Amino acid sequence: MKAIYIQATQDTPQVTLDTQKGIFEIKGNSYPENSAQFYNPIIEWLQELLANGYNNKLVFDFNFDYFNTSSAKFILEILRILEEFQEKNIETLVRWHYFEDDIDIFESGEDYKSIVSIPFELIPRDDTLYL
Amino acid sequence: MSVEISSTNNQPKLPKDTETINQLENLINNLDNIPPEELKSQLQIFAKNHKKLLQEVKLLTSVGDRLQKKIKSANEMLQEQAEEIRKINKDLQDKNIELQFTIDELTKAKAGKRATTIILIFAIALFIVTEVLESTFEAFFKGANMLIIYGFKVFLAVGFKPIEGLLEKAIIAKEMKRQRMELEQQQKSINPKEIINKNLNVPKIEVKNKTNSENLTNETNNANPSYEMTSEDIAKLERKLKRETMKKMGENRE
């Protein structure tokens, strides 16, 4: 399946969805003008992957610095699709990265973890690597 | 499952949200015609969807609350910093006045010293001249009352002090005028905001938020530029100003 690479902008995150390399990652800030427009291709891509019978391990990394409310809804939508992968017995893991001093992102991760029924890891980021 | 996402007024909406309600409405309308088994199954689906929506509402409320809190604290921080900047500005103004007073005092002292030197040179010169021309002087006043001669000498001696004062005033006036002109020139060519930024390496606050209240935050940000000056920075600025003033005074003396 054709990979998706979206460069990060000031208000949209960097997106990497590559089945060949096994990289599934959303990283950066997410407060697009139109969240639906931004996240629609990502959701469609994941649904197509699910429909195509992808059966390798799927590790999805969320590496947000910030996201707005409408992005939060679409993140949940992505997680729901990942749940469907899990339901199809495809090993799925969500890794939610956060800076240790960023309580908001950490708490959001906890909220998502409590909603979805897939393995969900909260991973603190090393601040020094981002200096 | 199709995920066609519609967007109205930039408010993203998944069709699933309305789909659940439509299903329930259909169920109510056809309640009499639905067999109990199917009704149970439909209600189970509805309960499942309702649970999902409830979770979503909880999550969005939680995220929204956090963002609101963040905006509020950012605004509070901006207000605090604006207040701090106002205080710093006032302190700087006070220090400027103090500094100007010190400069004036130094100028006066310098002018006084210069006037005294001039008068001393003048007195020495006069003494030498009178000593050399004493005989001529006495011959000129020959026959005149000695009291007039001494009186004239006393007048000259006593007159030194007011002359010195006048001279000092003239020097001070000249120096003040020069300093005022220099200051005016500096004020024309210097942008204080740039100097502060350049010298103190002032960090900027980044407000990440891009929600509706972003404008409000940015307005506050623009109205009160976000300088973070510590007491150390102020001391640094003061030291620099003093150094420059002393340097200028030294140059003037030379």
Side-chain angles (χ1 to χ4, degrees):
Chain A
M1 222 177 129
K2 201 180 172 187
I4 288 183
Y5 294 103
I6 302 170
Q7 284 288 320
T9 65
Q10 197 186 344
D11 49 13
T12 58
Q14 176 192 306
V15 180
T16 311
L17 300 173
D18 191 333
T19 49
Q20 296 291 318
K21 291 177 185 171
I23 301 170
F24 305 89
E25 187 184 39
I26 302 179
K27 183 182 179 182
N29 288 315
S30 179
Y31 46 94
E33 283 285 314
N34 188 336
S35 299
Q37 200 176 28
F38 181 79
Y39 282 99
N40 191 25
I42 298 165
I43 289 165
E44 278 179 355
W45 190 91
L46 284 169
Q47 292 212 307
E48 205 183 319
L49 187 69
L50 184 70
N52 285 352
Y54 180 79
N55 55 8
N56 290 335
K57 188 181 176 181
L58 202 156
V59 180
F60 207 107
D61 288 284
F62 291 96
N63 215 328
F64 285 109
D65 291 330
Y66 173 85
F67 59 85
N68 63 6
T69 321
S70 59
S71 297
K73 185 175 169 68
F74 288 100
I75 294 165
L76 183 62
E77 188 59 31
I78 290 168
L79 290 169
R80 296 265 195 235
I81 298 167
L82 295 178
E83 256 182 337
E84 288 180 44
F85 276 93
Q86 181 77 13
E87 281 163 16
K88 279 193 170 184
N89 291 324
I90 297 160
E91 199 182 344
T92 313
L93 173 66
V94 173
R95 292 195 299 207
W96 184 269
H97 303 266
Y98 66 95
F99 280 122
E100 274 183 349
D101 60 347
D102 195 341
I103 298 163
D104 295 338
I105 294 289
F106 172 73
E107 284 181 350
S108 298
E110 279 193 324
D111 286 344
Y112 283 121
K113 191 181 178 178
S114 67
I115 291 172
V116 293
S117 53
I118 37 175
F120 199 110
E121 286 180 3
L122 290 159
I123 303 167
R125 283 198 261 177
D126 187 357
D127 291 27
T128 53
L129 295 173
Y130 293 84
L131 289 174
Chain B
M1 184 177 69
S2 76
V3 186
E4 285 174 17
I5 299 161
S6 61
S7 174
T8 315
N9 297 330
N10 282 337
Q11 290 299 314
K13 195 176 177 184
L14 290 166
K16 275 199 299 182
D17 298 349
T18 45
E19 198 182 286
T20 308
I21 299 163
N22 291 339
Q23 277 174 357
L24 183 70
E25 278 172 353
N26 285 336
L27 198 70
I28 293 163
N29 291 336
N30 301 308
L31 204 60
D32 298 333
N33 307 326
I34 298 169
E37 280 304 309
E38 201 187 326
L39 183 66
K40 191 183 171 187
S41 157
Q42 289 286 325
L43 282 173
Q44 275 172 343
I45 292 167
F46 174 73
K48 194 183 167 190
N49 287 338
H50 187 74
K51 192 184 167 190
K52 277 185 178 179
L53 285 174
L54 197 67
Q55 284 172 336
E56 209 168 280
V57 167
K58 274 184 188 170
L59 173 86
L60 295 181
T61 311
S62 172
V63 169
D65 282 351
R66 272 194 291 271
L67 294 179
Q68 208 174 5
K69 195 176 150 194
K70 209 174 215 174
I71 293 161
K72 195 174 175 285
S73 61
N75 275 332
E76 277 172 2
M77 194 172 73
L78 283 171
Q79 276 171 4
E80 274 171 23
Q81 287 192 335
E83 186 57 38
E84 210 174 311
I85 289 164
R86 268 196 287 275
K87 273 182 195 167
I88 290 164
N89 277 340
K90 199 184 170 299
D91 283 352
L92 278 173
Q93 278 172 357
D94 291 347
K95 292 284 173 194
N96 270 344
I97 293 165
E98 207 177 301
L99 209 59
Q100 191 56 50
F101 179 75
T102 313
I103 291 167
D104 289 351
E105 287 296 306
L106 276 168
T107 311
K108 276 178 194 170
K110 203 176 101 181
K113 200 179 162 189
R114 200 180 284 175
T116 310
T117 311
I118 292 167
I119 288 297
L120 194 67
I121 291 165
F122 180 70
I124 291 165
L126 201 65
F127 175 75
I128 293 164
V129 168
T130 50
E131 282 302 306
V132 171
L133 300 175
E134 197 175 4
S135 54
T136 318
F137 191 71
E138 278 176 2
F140 182 76
F141 285 102
K142 202 175 182 182
N145 192 341
M146 283 304 283
L147 278 173
I148 297 167
I149 297 165
Y150 288 126
F152 182 67
K153 283 186 176 178
V154 168
F155 170 75
L156 278 177
V158 174
F160 281 144
K161 190 64 200 169
I163 291 166
E164 189 196 349
L166 288 170
L167 204 62
E168 192 183 324
K169 273 183 188 172
I171 292 168
I172 288 169
K174 196 183 163 189
E175 188 65 26
M176 290 294 211
K177 195 180 169 187
R178 193 187 60 78
Q179 278 187 7
R180 222 173 291 133
M181 279 171 75
E182 265 185 16
L183 200 69
E184 277 170 16
Q185 273 181 342
Q186 276 179 3
Q187 278 173 347
K188 276 178 192 171
S189 61
I190 290 170
N191 180 355
K193 206 189 277 180
E194 277 176 20
I195 289 177
I196 291 168
N197 281 335
K198 198 178 165 184
N199 288 326
L200 304 175
N201 192 19
V202 176
K204 264 187 172 179
I205 296 170
E206 197 190 332
V207 181
K208 291 180 192 171
N209 189 300
K210 260 257 179 173
T211 57
N212 291 337
S213 49
E214 186 209 24
N215 293 336
L216 178 71
T217 314
N218 280 349
E219 274 167 23
T220 321
N221 203 6
N222 291 338
N224 306 304
S226 54
Y227 303 132
E228 234 177 49
M229 286 173 77
T230 60
S231 53
E232 199 187 337
D233 290 331
I234 299 162
K236 209 188 279 176
L237 191 63
E238 276 175 4
R239 279 200 298 275
K240 199 182 171 192
L241 276 167
K242 271 181 191 166
R243 259 203 316 275
E244 280 176 4
T245 313
M246 293 313 282
K247 199 179 160 189
K248 266 186 193 165
M249 294 298 290
E251 280 169 5
N252 289 340
R253 208 170 293 136
E254 278 166 19

